[in-house]
């Protein structure tokens, strides 16, 4: 049933550029890109059990790879996509030894360090990245509408591939490694190799996200990959539900949309409302929107009401 | 000695910076190690102290104790409120804690900016300390020297509190075996609230004293949070000494490192963090999973 709803949802998304103006179309394209990176974060955080603040690093690697190809007159989009995916996955394979032996909060800290290192490299390696000034990439597609539709197509195909992969034995192996690692190891499964594979795949997806970012905004700078971006990606994934790829994509897009929309609506007060949103989500939806049992809405709302929380505090 | 001379001032700055980070990070170690709370709002608690200092300090001596008391009380109250807000979140559910505390940090930062304005605020230190003094042929800010002494005293006091007092023993016991501590009749909720209040007080204290070094502004909370996370990670969670060494190392990397190796220094901090974490992942895992 849920899967049937996806068809009209994608059709509606494809029709959107004819319903809104060009600026909104360009904004939506950027949100799609961030949603895709959110999927790569969810793949690690929810399915593999490696919560990450570092997917901005392969995201950046892919973006700069695509931008460099653009500067060298490679206007072929599929070539750029493949190159960005390759660079993102290669970056992930390089950093995998740092990540796959750790678990839980330590992964969060290691990936935080990897992300910060990536920004430092991006702002200092001026010959490749243009430093903090960033790089301007010539547009490969002429209109906002074309760029949006292209991004939508790539994102839909990739997310479908991820969903298929997770339904295959590979997805089962990853979830089993997350839930009972000792037992998997005892049955002879090379858990570390599985995690490395998932980490590299997530790096590749984030790399593609980077190439799409360059396509949609024709500009890339270290500010696109800041700690704020990394944190909002993780929080968007948690809000959407780290176990669900579609929930994660929607959650990420929603968080970034809320940030941009609120800062236009109430200049200076966007962080306050965004912060309040996170706090409310933490209480109401501990497993994210997608992990929420909607039939229990009434009960959950009562349990999370201030009165109930006060009672619980008194008991504790 | 001659060729070392140009590095004396950055090295001394590094000590001041490191001791400042130690006081902040000690609070973070407490909340993570003892209460098992990943507090991403810890930098905001520092910012509260720093803003209070900027607001109250008027260049006179009377404002110093006033700012200290007000800053520490405000940050400790915020830490206690945090403990209350975190009560419904399951212990060890770090992602939800991250969501909640990051949300509070965003909202708190926004409120601080609405209250104090979007600019970095200048902080006035007492006039007697607001001048350079002569130090082996260099002029050095008097306030920083005094800060080094005061922060060293705080560090020694913390060490003694953790190793010699009953509360310190409880804290160490709670890191090693929280269930056993609960079985011995110590209310875990009281330990949690107490730890977060002390953690907030330490951040506030660091904020008031450190305001002339890392001043209050919109980016203060993020800077302090990231640096103290690095310190916590490098120092492990098992000893005050480890945290102190890590804090001094980070302080020196940020000052002396930039003077000695301007190209490599920005990478050094996070590269060291990633490598040490990865190398000790197994050992740390056992400790951190109980924390």
């Amino acid at each position: 049933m849920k899967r049937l709803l996806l068809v009209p949802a994608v059709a509606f998304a494809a029709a959107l550029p004819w319903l809104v103006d060009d600026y909104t179309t360009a904004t939506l394209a950027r949100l799609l890109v961030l949603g895709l990176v959110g999927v790569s974060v969810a793949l690690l955080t929810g399915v593999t059990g490696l919560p990450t603040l570092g997917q901005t690093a392969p995201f950046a690697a892919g973006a700069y790879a695509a931008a460099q190809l653009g500067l060298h007159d490679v206007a072929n989009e599929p070539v750029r996509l493949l190159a960005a995916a390759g660079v993102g996955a290669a970056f992930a394979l390089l950093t995998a030894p740092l990540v796959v032996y750790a678990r839980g909060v330590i992964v969060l800290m290691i990936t935080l360090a990897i992300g910060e290192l990536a920004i430092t490299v991006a702002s200092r390696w001026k010959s490749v990245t243009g430093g903090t000034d960033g790089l301007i990439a010539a547009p490969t597609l002429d209109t906002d509408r074309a760029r949006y539709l292209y991004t939508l197509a790539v994102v839909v195909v990739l997310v479908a591939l991820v969903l298929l992969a997770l339904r295959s034995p590979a997805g089962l192996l990853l979830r089993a490694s997350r839930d009972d690692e000792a037992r998997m190891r005892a049955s002879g499964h090379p858990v570390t190799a599985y995690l490395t594979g998932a980490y590299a795949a997530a790096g590749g997806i984030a790399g593609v996200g980077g190439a799409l970012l360059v396509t949609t905004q024709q500009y890339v700078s270290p500010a696109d990959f800041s700690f704020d971006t990394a944190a909002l990606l993780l929080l968007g994934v948690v809000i959407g539900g780290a176990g669900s790829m579609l929930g994660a994509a929607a959650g990420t897009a929603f968080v970034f949309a809320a940030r941009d929309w609120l800062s236009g609506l109430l200049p200076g007060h966007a962080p306050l409302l965004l912060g309040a949103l996170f706090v409310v989500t933490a209480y109401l939806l501990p497993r994210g929107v997608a992990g929420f049992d909607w039939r229990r809405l009434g009960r959950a709302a009562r349990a999370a009401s201030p009165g109930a929380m006060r009672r619980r505090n008194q008991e504790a | 000695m001659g060729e070392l001379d140009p590095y004396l001032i950055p090295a001394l700055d590094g000590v001041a910076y490191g001791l400042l980070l130690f006081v902040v990070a000690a609070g973070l170690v407490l909340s993570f190690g003892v209460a098992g709370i990943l507090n991403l709002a810890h930098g905001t608690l520092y910012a509260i102290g720093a803003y209070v200092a900027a607001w109250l300090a008027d260049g006179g001596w009377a404002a110093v104790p006033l700012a200290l008391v007000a800053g520490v009380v405000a940050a400790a109250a915020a830490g206690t409120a945090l403990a209350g807000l975190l009560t419904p979140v399951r212990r060890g559910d770090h992602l939800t804690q991250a969501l909640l505390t990051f949300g509070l940090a965003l909202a708190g930062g926004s409120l601080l900016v609405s209250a104090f304005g979007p600019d970095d605020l200048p902080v006035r230190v007492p006039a007697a300390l607001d001048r350079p003094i002569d130090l082996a042929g260099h002029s050095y800010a008097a306030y920083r020297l005094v800060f080094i002494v005061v922060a060293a005293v705080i560090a020694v006091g913390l060490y003694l509190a953790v190793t010699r007092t009953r509360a310190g023993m409880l804290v160490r016991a709670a890191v090693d075996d929280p269930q056993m501590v609960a079985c011995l009749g110590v209310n875990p909720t009281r330990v949690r609230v107490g730890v977060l209040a002390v953690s907030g007080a330490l951040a506030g204290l660091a904020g008031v004293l450190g305001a002339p070094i890392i001043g209050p502004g919109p980016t203060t909370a993020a800077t302090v949070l990231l640096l103290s996370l690095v310190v916590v990670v490098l120092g492990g969670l098992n000893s005050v000494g480890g945290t102190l060494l890590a804090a001094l190392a980070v302080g020196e990397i940020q000052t002396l490192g930039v003077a000695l190796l301007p190209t490599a220094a920005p990478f050094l901090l996070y590269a060291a963090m990633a490598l040490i974490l990865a190398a000790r992942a197994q050992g740390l895992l056992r400790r951190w999973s109980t924390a």
Side-chain angles (χ1 to χ4, degrees), chain B residues 42-92:
Chain B
H42 196 67
T44 311
L45 299 177
Y46 174 95
I48 290 177
Y51 272 115
V52 166
W55 180 46
L56 289 176
D58 57 0
W61 283 106
V64 175
L66 188 66
L68 273 176
V69 171
V72 168
V73 168
T80 313
L82 208 63
L85 287 167
L86 279 162
T87 307
V89 180
R90 198 167 49 83
R91 186 187 171 92

Side-chain angles (χ1 to χ4, degrees), chain B residues 71-130:
Chain B
V72 168
V73 168
T80 313
L82 208 63
L85 287 167
L86 279 162
T87 307
V89 180
R90 198 167 49 83
R91 186 187 171 92
D93 183 358
H94 292 302
L95 277 180
T96 307
Q97 289 173 359
L99 187 70
L100 188 59
T101 54
F102 192 80
L104 290 170
L106 274 180
S110 172
L111 288 177
L112 284 174
V113 168
S114 335
F116 293 100
D119 302 315
D120 288 354
L121 293 186
V123 181
R124 294 187 61 189
V125 301
L129 299 178
D130 193 17

Side-chain angles (χ1 to χ4, degrees), chain A residues 45 98 101 103 105-106 109-110 112-113 116-117 120-121 124 231 235 268 271-272 275 278-279 282-283 309 312-313 316, chain B residues 85 87-88 94-96 99-100 102-103 106-107 110-111 189 226 229 233 262 266-267 270-271 273 275 277-278 282 288:
Chain A
T45 304
L98 295 174
Y101 297 103
R103 299 289 178 273
V105 184
I106 308 167
M109 305 271 183
I110 295 177
L112 165 72
E116 291 296 307
L117 276 175
T120 314
V121 174
R124 302 207 151 235
L235 298 180
L272 183 63
F278 291 154
V279 173
Y283 285 134
M309 230 176 280
R312 225 178 305 158
N313 286 353
Chain B
L85 287 167
T87 307
H94 292 302
L95 277 180
T96 307
L99 187 70
L100 188 59
F102 192 80
L106 274 180
S110 172
L111 288 177
T189 309
L226 284 179
L229 274 178
V233 162
F267 299 95
Y270 290 104
M273 172 173 168
L275 287 175
L277 269 180
Q282 302 278 321
W288 285 26

